[in-house]
Amino acid sequence: MVMADRPEVKTASTPVTALAVLGLAESMLNGLARVPFHRPWSGPGGLLDNVGQSVTRQAVRSFMGYSMGLPIEEFRSMEKILDDICRVVMPPFIEVVDRVEITKDTIGGIDGLWCRAKASSDAYVDEGDDKQTIGATILYLHGGGYIGTSPIMYSAFAASLVRITGYEVFIADYRMAPEFPFPAGVHDAADVYRGLLERGVDPEHLVVAGDSGGGGLATSLITYLHRHDLPAPAAVALFSPEVDLDLNLPSITENAQYDILPWNVPVAPYLQGIQPNDERVSAVYATADPEWFPPTFVCWGADEMFRDGIRKFVENLEAAGVAVHAMEERGMFHVFPILMPWAESSKRVFRALHDLAGGTVTPDPDAEPTH
């Protein structure tokens, strides 16, 4: 369910929405027209990576810059259109590229999407063929700065995680700001987590993952689980997590010209009165303990605005004795594995995830799809 489909969420009229979409197209075309003037062939990688990075950066930056300037009703209506397009395009694409199927489900009262290897499903395995074992379960919290996107928009990346790890992935459709500020998203994530446990998923075979705002939400969930005496998952996987909402470290301004994020990253809609240095929303201020904070994989770009906050977060985990596998990729921007899966930096991340999948989380030999 995209946010626009929730009864509490207001949307714009059809004519206004059409104008917003036209404005977006114009903004992105203007942004892409600037690419040749920024030496797109230069950079830390090969020619294809450098050009792809320049085009991706400008396209996403134009999209985000324009979207952040819209009234929330127009933003939700435009988001609905993009969600509808993804619902048509993504399932067949994922089926062909990754051999992954998408199914809807409601866990703990929260809607979401399952992404599973087709070879693990009885419907796709012929009699006599070996059925692929599901190694573990990933609860994925999608990004979007706590304010936007939807599970189907992240299905391609989730499918990649299925292929890389051999796990099943549930993308939770949690509530977002400004209509539902903190702690609504955390409570939804916790409800899904409890629901998975009630379905028989062993915490030792469960991974919590997320990117950007979803990565920050994943760390908030770990703190929530600790405070409510719930078992921790086996591991956490974070991609450019938004773990410092104070936004006062040097990389916020120093990397603004290189990142895909708008220079004025919005956090007020999510916080709405909560202090940005509250450890419940900014994990960089939390005191972690290996007794309850699980082994953590973190990757981020050296050129992203959140770089310094993530570095500090990783340093804090390491100082506390939490097992951490950290990857900072030179010349890369925010959530690069999602936006540029073909890049060499992304491939290094995927190889690390593949290697860690069997070492951090013990596969469950009796695992079946979590219906």
Side-chain angles (χ1 to χ4, degrees):
M1 179 189 298
V2 70
M3 281 288 290
D5 289 337
R6 297 180 184 270
E8 308 94 328
V9 175
K10 296 179 180 180
T11 56
S13 65
T14 299
V16 171
T17 301
L19 290 173
V21 172
L22 288 174
L24 173 63
E26 181 181 3
S27 175
M28 294 189 67
L29 286 174
N30 287 337
L32 291 174
R34 295 185 174 91
V35 171
F37 302 101
H38 290 283
R39 297 174 58 85
W41 56 87
S42 63
L47 179 62
L48 179 61
D49 278 7
N50 293 339
V51 173
Q53 183 176 348
S54 297
V55 173
T56 302
R57 178 193 293 114
Q58 195 59 57
V60 178
R61 179 185 287 169
S62 297
F63 173 82
M64 296 186 69
Y66 177 81
S67 300
M68 293 301 97
L70 291 174
I72 187 61
E73 293 85 358
E74 295 180 33
F75 177 83
R76 291 299 180 214
S77 295
M78 189 173 67
E79 184 181 50
K80 167 68 173 172
I81 292 175
L82 296 176
D83 183 84
D84 288 342
I85 294 172
C86 287
R87 289 180 185 275
V88 174
V89 174
M90 287 301 186
F93 173 79
I94 290 167
E95 181 177 344
V96 171
V97 174
D98 295 305
R99 301 296 296 166
V100 167
E101 62 173 332
I102 300 174
T103 55
K104 297 179 181 179
D105 200 356
T106 302
I107 301 178
I110 308 301
D111 293 337
L113 297 177
W114 279 111
C115 293
R116 297 189 179 101
K118 293 179 67 175
S120 68
S121 172
D122 289 327
Y124 294 98
V125 179
D126 295 331
E127 186 175 351
D129 291 343
D130 290 333
K131 184 177 176 182
Q132 180 176 319
T133 300
I134 295 175
T137 301
I138 297 177
L139 166 55
Y140 195 86
L141 303 172
H142 67 79
Y146 302 101
I147 60 176
T149 75
S150 67
I152 192 65
M153 296 181 191
Y154 272 80
S155 56
F157 182 63
S160 296
L161 293 179
V162 171
R163 173 175 49 80
I164 292 164
T165 64
Y167 299 170
E168 61 180 359
V169 178
F170 183 76
I171 315 172
D173 189 16
Y174 62 90
R175 291 170 293 173
M176 292 180 290
E179 296 92 344
F180 303 100
F182 175 84
V186 179
H187 289 168
D188 287 355
D191 286 344
V192 176
Y193 191 90
R194 288 192 186 95
L196 289 170
L197 298 183
E198 290 169 359
R199 290 193 182 192
V201 177
D202 191 321
E204 294 183 359
H205 309 305
L206 181 57
V207 177
V208 173
D211 69 282
S212 192
L217 186 60
T219 61
S220 294
L221 173 60
I222 300 302
T223 299
Y224 179 96
L225 297 177
H226 170 60
R227 292 184 172 184
H228 289 79
D229 295 322
L230 290 167
V236 175
L238 307 173
F239 308 89
S240 296
E242 196 169 352
V243 289
D244 182 8
L245 300 189
D246 232 354
L247 304 179
N248 63 350
L249 295 174
S251 62
I252 294 294
T253 53
E254 291 175 359
N255 285 344
Q257 61 179 318
Y258 307 116
D259 207 357
I260 62 166
L261 296 171
W263 65 268
N264 55 339
V265 179
V267 295
Y270 177 63
L271 296 175
Q272 289 196 19
I274 301 296
Q275 292 301 309
N277 61 357
D278 190 313
E279 64 180 32
R280 294 174 297 169
V281 295
S282 293
V284 73
Y285 296 105
T287 302
D289 189 312
E291 290 294 321
W292 57 267
F293 205 103
T296 301
F297 171 86
V298 193
C299 71
W300 69 96
D303 283 355
E304 70 170 276
M305 294 167 68
F306 295 156
R307 181 197 65 197
D308 292 350
I310 300 172
R311 283 178 177 175
K312 187 176 179 182
F313 168 69
V314 168
E315 291 170 0
N316 291 348
L317 291 183
E318 292 174 337
V322 175
V324 182
H325 185 97
M327 299 181 68
E328 177 177 300
E329 290 295 326
R330 186 171 65 92
M332 299 308 292
F333 44 61
H334 189 61
V335 296
F336 64 90
I338 299 173
L339 298 175
M340 293 181 59
W342 67 86
E344 286 302 319
S345 294
S346 301
K347 291 177 181 178
R348 284 192 289 272
V349 168
F350 296 150
R351 284 194 293 268
L353 285 172
H354 175 77
D355 294 341
L356 290 169
T360 304
V361 182
T362 304
D364 184 355
D366 301 320
E368 294 288 340
T370 310
H371 298 298

